[in-house]
């Protein structure tokens, strides 16, 4: 398949999933709790509709590819190419009517993230990357994404979904970094990583992520010149504790504080 065709296919995944999801946004719909008594973990009809559309398109076009999705589990994940899908990253924002959620479409080859897109159908924005370059398409017109080159924590803006999601030693480690930055901000889920790639914030630190929360975002951040790893400096593709930074200097400074 040619590069042009591949790009068109990714765009079609975004368009079709957006059309399935958007009618549910700021509308009355049922919400279920997947947590089974733990921290509230909502899922909606929109989540399922969006993932169903993408799975159907992938199976029709690439039957030998695998799929790892949030709502319907894993299929053929030992394949060379595996699509990693999160139809609505930021479901809490979605059900609250706040447009800081997005559809994450990631592709791995041999377990390595090679392409990612975050699509926000309500705002009409798409952030994409292949690890070498990252691009934005939206109301402000298309442009190449580049991270901001802030190297001092004292000048940095840090984002996390919520400090309340860190527990025990992880909470203490996060607090050490937050205490050193100029501006901490909360919320935004996948949007925070895209703001990092676009050069508006400098650090994103989170814990408890699943692969579908981060795989699509890795090629975007790296393509924009940033770095994203686990807290021990390894690959972030498996989820867990994740840190993203606009550059290696800032990344290392934050890693050192996380390590204590």
């Amino acid at each position: 398949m040619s590069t042009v065709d591949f790009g068109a296919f990714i765009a079609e995944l975004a368009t079709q999933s957006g059309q399935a999801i958007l009618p549910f946004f700021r509308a009355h719909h049922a919400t279920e709790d997947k947590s089974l008594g733990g921290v509230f973990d909502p899922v909606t009809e929109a989540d399922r509709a969006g993932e169903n559309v993408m799975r159907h398109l992938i199976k029709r076009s690439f039957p030998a590819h695998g799929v790892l999705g949030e709502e319907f589990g894993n299929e053929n994940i030992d394949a060379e190419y595996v699509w990693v899908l999160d139809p609505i990253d930021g479901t809490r924002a979605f059900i609250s009517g706040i447009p800081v959620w997005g559809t994450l479409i990631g592709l791995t080859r041999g377990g390595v993230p090679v392409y990612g897109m975050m699509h926000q159908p309500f705002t009409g924005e798409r952030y994409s990357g292949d690890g070498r370059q990252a691009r934005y398409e939206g109301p402000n017109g298309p442009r190449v994404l580049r991270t901001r080159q802030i190297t001092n924590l004292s000048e940095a803006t840090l984002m996390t979904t919520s400090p309340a999601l860190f527990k025990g030693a992880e909470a203490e480690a996060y607090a050490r970094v937050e205490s050193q930055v100029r501006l901490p901000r909360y919320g935004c889920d996948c949007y925070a990583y895209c703001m990092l790639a676009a050069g508006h914030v400098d650090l994103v630190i989170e814990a408890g992520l699943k692969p579908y929360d981060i795989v699509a975002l890795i090629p975007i951040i790296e393509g924009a010149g940033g770095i994203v790893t686990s807290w021990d400096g390894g690959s972030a593709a498996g989820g867990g504790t994740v840190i993203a930074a606009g550059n290696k200097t800032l990344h290392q400074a934050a890693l050192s504080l996380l390590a204590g």
Side-chain angles (χ1 to χ4, degrees), residues 42-243:
V43 61
T44 70
E45 298 171 68
D47 294 88
R48 298 189 178 104
E51 187 168 321
N52 260 328
V53 166
M54 291 189 286
R55 282 178 178 265
H56 173 74
L57 290 172
I58 291 166
K59 288 179 183 177
R60 185 182 69 188
S61 301
F62 302 106
H65 287 194
V67 179
L68 189 162
E70 180 175 13
E71 305 308 331
F72 298 108
N74 305 334
E75 295 181 51
N76 195 26
I77 59 171
D78 293 327
E80 180 181 8
Y81 290 96
V82 176
W83 295 86
V84 185
L85 310 174
D86 190 346
I88 302 177
D89 186 81
T91 304
R92 295 175 183 85
F94 183 91
I95 65 175
S96 302
I98 303 168
V100 287
W101 51 272
T103 298
L104 296 181
I105 305 168
L107 180 65
T108 65
R109 183 179 186 183
V112 177
V114 294
Y115 188 88
M117 176 179 284
M118 191 284 271
H119 177 218
Q120 217 305 341
F122 185 75
T123 62
E125 296 179 291
R126 295 182 182 188
Y127 297 80
S128 61
D130 62 5
R132 298 179 299 276
Q133 188 179 65
R135 293 191 59 80
Y136 167 87
E137 296 178 48
N140 293 333
R143 65 180 184 272
V144 173
L145 297 174
R146 296 301 299 173
T147 58
R148 190 159 62 182
Q149 295 304 302
I150 296 294
T151 57
N152 296 320
L153 285 168
S154 61
E155 301 174 8
T157 298
L158 163 68
M159 294 200 71
T160 192
T161 298
S162 171
L165 297 179
F166 298 105
K167 304 298 181 184
E170 290 179 354
E172 295 173 4
Y174 170 79
R176 287 193 294 270
V177 181
E178 184 180 290
S179 69
Q180 298 297 312
V181 303
R182 181 176 67 177
L183 177 64
R185 299 296 296 170
Y186 308 140
C188 294
D189 296 279
C190 60
Y191 232 100
Y193 295 91
C194 293
M195 293 302 95
L196 186 146
H200 301 301
V201 306
D202 308 293
L203 284 168
V204 183
I205 298 177
E206 298 197 283
L209 299 188
K210 303 296 184 183
Y212 46 73
D213 295 317
I214 192 65
V215 163
L217 298 164
I218 292 173
I220 301 172
I221 294 165
E222 293 179 345
I227 181 170
V228 52
T229 70
S230 60
W231 286 15
D232 62 8
S235 172
T241 54
V242 170
I243 174 172

